[in-house]
Amino acid sequence: MLKLDGRNLLRLLLAFALAWLGYLHFRAPWQGLDSRLGDILLRQEAQGRTPPGDIVLIDIDQNSLDNPEMLDLAGNWPWPRAIHGELLNTLAQQKPQAIIFDLIFSEPDRFRLESDRMFEAALRHYPAYLPLVVTEGEPSRLADLPALIGARASATANPDAGLPLLAPKALSPDVWRTGLINFLQDDDGVGRRYWLRYPHQGWTLPSLPARVAVDLGFDLPPGPDLHLHFYGSPFEHISYGWLFLESLKQSPRGIPDLQDKIVIIGAAAPGLHDLRPTPLSATTPGPGILATALANLLRQDYLRPVSPLASLALGGGLILALAWATHRQISPLRQGSWLLLATALALLFAWKLLGHNLLWQPFSTLLTAWLFFAICALGAYLRERLQKEHTVQMFGRFLDPRVVQAVTEGNVLATAQEGSSREITVLFSDIRGFTTLSETRPPEEIVRLLNRYFDTQVQAIFEESGTLDKFIGDAIMAFWGAPMTSDLHALQAVRAALKMEKQLEAFKLEQGEPGLHFDIGIGIHTGPAVVGFLGAAQRLDYTAIGDTVNLASRIEGLTKGVARVLVSEATRDACLTRSPNEFVFIDHGEAKVKGRERPVRLFEPRSSS
């Protein structure tokens, strides 16, 4: 059975993140997020893009609708179609490449049928392009449509397929040079693409910009639609009303040269309701969208989506790098800095790709990487917190709380659990006359007395940042130099011993007559020892072992009848090296120690102040 430790949890999280990346880029559940954030980059990049000068928009704007002269000639909107016919004749004289009407002529003007015929005659003289719209209602059989519409059937097309179409039925079918202008919106209602070929049951209908581009000799990209590459600067605009009125004059002035240009005539006034949401604006005029699609086709600067494998590679690389860093316990702050840099570079690269007509939207990939990082960072925080709590539990029995706090800040627990050899100073303290005292006092009093004594002695050890190893009956073992490394461990041990001596005197006065029989001996030695957690899995103790510990115990046994505190020559030398004037050491000569061939020179430390 798989053990769910930190490493296995990281593996499971990594596997889930990689699987999610695959799902993300082949099923696109976050496509809306990618599109909306991509719009931000697209708007920024569009600021530097200028539309081609050979596409001109003639706007039926609010000035055209409100112009008094237009009201006298044409009345309120909709105008008689003869107006469009007259303008078409005027434009045809300048020999533009193409004239496109982005206006619907689906119903005959029953009160001005002659006006419709005049417009139809102008279209026969100069075949302009007219819009077609797929709408709702009764379908028209595609096989019955006029050939001029351009419907194409594949080998597998349904011969009875039909679509409800809003066609220019006010005019004769022999002028139906049409193309679709349906607004192609994404799931969030924003138009980022334009139809090239509208598919339906094996049939395709060309869009208006696609039909114009083909007629002008340009190739179309594969696929049913193209991604629009918007321009930040506007196309050249001419007011319909001004141009029409100026064309009626015998000596028109200021009419721009439209030769070899593509002219799009459409509604721009807000009241005509031809405004659509795009990445540039929530109210982009429909003719402007059509002009953008046509310009993209003529310039071949439409956006080509980058393969999803690019985002998959980016996300996989980031997540694997984060998993490796988490496994190596690299700090979340450093990981976050790396990820922030990678995110900034990816966004910059995506923005630069737009300048090369490439659309890359790595936003959901980056979000996945940040979510993975957040979970790993949370795991690292919880792991560190548990490790600190474990450290406190492990060392709380041996160290002063202030030292435990310092221990939790570093990687001390791991070192302690592994064990290591280091130089330390070991102190042994034992009570003199305890056996006699225990024979003459009730057990309850002895326990109370010992507990109070140990409190005073341990306080002195902790004040000098010592590690309490254990109580051995009425003896105390402590050491300095581990788990926190210190160059002052000999000084700290001697200071603690002298404090223990003072604490003993205060304790004896506090206890009165029972304390008169109390006395202690303290032995201290400095040297190498193995320090770490030793014992069985059910019971571990943080302790020191080795000859240094044995010698400190032997020195404590030599204090009887000599001095309360005795230190070895090694401890004395370490103290003099670090602080030559803090202690005065009284030489008590050499003493034979069990288990050692050479005698040990002993010194009694006293404060120099």
Side-chain angles (χ1 to χ4, degrees):
M1 183 175 179
L2 181 65
K3 182 182 179 182
L4 287 179
D5 56 11
R7 183 174 298 180
N8 286 327
L9 283 173
L10 179 60
R11 289 171 178 164
L12 286 175
L13 179 60
L14 176 61
F16 176 80
L18 293 177
W20 169 254
L21 275 179
Y23 178 76
L24 189 68
H25 295 292
F26 293 106
R27 299 300 297 270
W30 288 353
Q31 182 61 50
L33 172 69
D34 281 332
S35 297
R36 284 190 291 273
L37 294 178
D39 290 347
I40 299 173
L41 287 185
L42 193 60
R43 281 194 294 272
Q44 295 300 316
E45 191 268 341
Q47 299 306 312
R49 284 174 50 80
T50 303
D54 55 358
I55 296 179
V56 179
L57 296 177
I58 297 179
D59 293 334
I60 303 174
D61 54 12
Q62 199 62 44
N63 288 334
S64 299
L65 298 178
D66 295 340
N67 189 297
E69 294 183 64
M70 286 298 296
L71 287 171
D72 289 340
L73 286 172
N76 292 322
W77 182 265
W79 297 327
R81 288 165 184 148
I83 298 292
H84 303 313
E86 290 185 40
L87 182 64
L88 178 58
N89 289 329
T90 299
L91 295 174
Q93 295 174 12
Q94 294 206 40
K95 298 181 179 180
Q97 288 192 78
I99 298 175
I100 303 169
F101 280 93
D102 191 12
L103 299 170
I104 303 296
F105 305 110
S106 60
E107 297 292 337
D109 189 341
R110 300 187 181 280
F111 299 101
R112 294 175 290 200
L113 292 177
E114 185 60 30
S115 177
D116 288 358
R117 302 287 75 81
M118 291 177 62
F119 181 38
E120 188 178 298
L123 287 169
R124 286 194 176 93
H125 175 70
Y126 187 93
Y129 293 89
L130 303 175
L132 189 69
V133 177
V134 177
T135 183
E136 297 178 355
E138 187 68 24
S140 300
R141 188 168 178 265
L142 296 179
D144 296 336
L145 295 177
L148 197 56
I149 284 183
R152 297 287 183 267
S154 68
T156 59
N158 179 3
D160 296 321
L163 277 173
L165 296 173
L166 205 60
K169 296 177 182 178
L171 307 170
S172 175
D174 62 349
V175 297
W176 285 12
R177 203 179 192 192
T178 63
L180 288 177
I181 59 168
N182 280 77
F183 179 67
L184 178 56
Q185 64 184 26
D186 291 337
D187 291 340
D188 58 359
V190 179
R192 302 178 180 91
R193 297 169 295 144
Y194 207 100
W195 284 114
L196 289 176
R197 309 168 183 88
Y198 187 91
H200 181 70
Q201 296 185 19
W203 292 78
T204 58
L205 289 173
S207 72
L208 197 50
R211 179 156 191 179
V212 174
V214 169
D215 289 350
L216 293 178
F218 291 88
D219 294 329
L220 298 182
D225 55 58
L226 83 161
H227 287 262
L228 295 173
H229 199 174
F230 289 93
Y231 304 95
S233 302
F235 288 86
E236 182 181 354
H237 289 261
I238 302 173
S239 174
Y240 188 115
W242 173 85
L243 180 62
F244 180 79
L245 293 172
E246 198 66 27
S247 68
L248 298 179
K249 298 178 180 178
Q250 290 185 350
S251 301
R253 293 182 300 175
I255 294 180
D257 183 11
L258 299 177
Q259 184 175 355
D260 295 329
K261 294 189 177 182
I262 297 172
V263 178
I264 299 176
I265 303 169
L272 300 183
H273 308 294
D274 194 12
L275 302 175
R276 300 288 185 267
T278 68
L280 294 186
S281 169
T283 55
T284 304
I289 303 173
L290 188 153
T292 299
L294 183 55
N296 287 171
L297 289 172
L298 300 185
R299 279 189 170 184
Q300 297 290 294
D301 63 353
Y302 51 87
L303 292 173
R304 290 114 171 133
V306 173
S307 168
L309 294 178
S311 294
L312 191 61
L314 172 68
L318 289 177
I319 288 175
L320 287 173
L322 289 170
W324 173 83
T326 301
H327 174 67
R328 296 294 298 273
Q329 297 189 7
I330 295 174
S331 74
L333 180 61
R334 181 177 296 181
Q335 291 186 49
S337 300
W338 292 348
L339 184 56
L340 184 62
L341 177 61
T343 300
L345 290 175
L347 295 179
L348 178 62
F349 189 57
W351 182 72
K352 289 290 186 181
L353 285 178
L354 289 173
H356 296 278
N357 306 317
L358 294 172
L359 180 64
W360 185 40
Q361 296 179 330
F363 311 105
S364 56
T365 296
L366 294 172
L367 176 60
T368 299
W370 277 102
L371 291 174
F372 183 82
F373 163 73
I375 294 173
C376 289
L378 177 62
Y381 167 76
L382 294 176
R383 182 183 65 245
E384 182 179 354
R385 182 172 177 179
L386 289 173
Q387 185 174 359
K388 285 186 177 181
E389 291 177 356
H390 184 46
T391 303
V392 169
Q393 292 175 358
M394 296 293 281
F395 284 107
R397 296 180 295 149
F398 315 117
L399 300 173
D400 177 72
R402 294 168 298 179
V403 179
V404 173
Q405 183 62 34
V407 168
T408 60
E409 300 299 326
N411 192 29
V412 177
L413 180 60
T415 304
Q417 289 175 326
E418 293 174 359
S420 62
S421 178
R422 61 176 72 188
E423 184 177 271
I424 62 172
T425 298
V426 182
L427 178 151
F428 269 91
S429 171
D430 197 7
I431 301 175
R432 302 283 180 243
F434 176 72
T435 303
T436 302
L437 182 66
S438 61
E439 291 175 349
T440 59
R441 299 288 176 182
E444 298 82 0
E445 184 178 339
I446 296 298
V447 171
R448 180 190 61 80
L449 207 62
L450 277 178
N451 286 339
R452 176 59 188 148
Y453 161 74
F454 284 141
D455 283 341
T456 62
Q457 300 294 283
V458 170
Q459 179 183 355
I461 293 170
F462 282 174
E463 285 178 357
E464 291 298 328
S465 303
T467 300
L468 177 63
D469 188 311
K470 61 176 70 73
F471 297 108
I472 309 171
D474 58 349
I476 299 173
M477 175 184 169
F479 54 84
W480 284 258
M484 297 295 292
T485 302
S486 171
D487 294 333
L488 306 177
H489 52 83
L491 284 171
Q492 292 170 320
V494 174
R495 290 173 191 158
L498 296 181
K499 284 184 179 181
M500 291 169 72
E501 191 175 16
K502 289 182 179 179
Q503 292 280 28
L504 175 66
E505 295 298 330
F507 172 77
K508 291 172 69 174
L509 290 175
E510 176 187 312
Q511 298 302 320
E513 192 274 336
L516 294 178
H517 300 282
F518 252 77
D519 206 347
I520 60 173
I522 299 175
I524 302 174
H525 176 54
T526 300
V530 175
V531 185
F533 281 98
L534 301 176
Q538 295 81 6
R539 174 62 186 270
L540 289 173
D541 282 318
Y542 187 68
T543 187
I545 58 175
D547 184 62
T548 296
V549 178
N550 297 332
L551 184 53
S553 177
R554 299 283 189 271
I555 294 174
E556 182 277 321
L558 296 172
T559 59
K560 186 180 295 186
V562 179
R564 274 186 180 153
V565 182
L566 288 177
V567 304
S568 67
E569 188 174 7
T571 301
R572 188 218 41 182
D573 292 344
C575 290
L576 293 178
T577 300
R578 293 297 174 183
S579 182
N581 301 317
E582 185 170 347
F583 303 114
V584 173
F585 291 92
I586 301 172
D587 190 347
H588 284 276
E590 294 182 341
K592 184 68 176 176
V593 175
K594 182 181 179 181
R596 282 180 171 263
E597 295 183 2
R598 298 179 59 184
V600 177
R601 195 174 190 86
L602 303 176
F603 298 86
E604 179 186 354
R606 294 182 182 178
S607 175
S608 59
S609 59

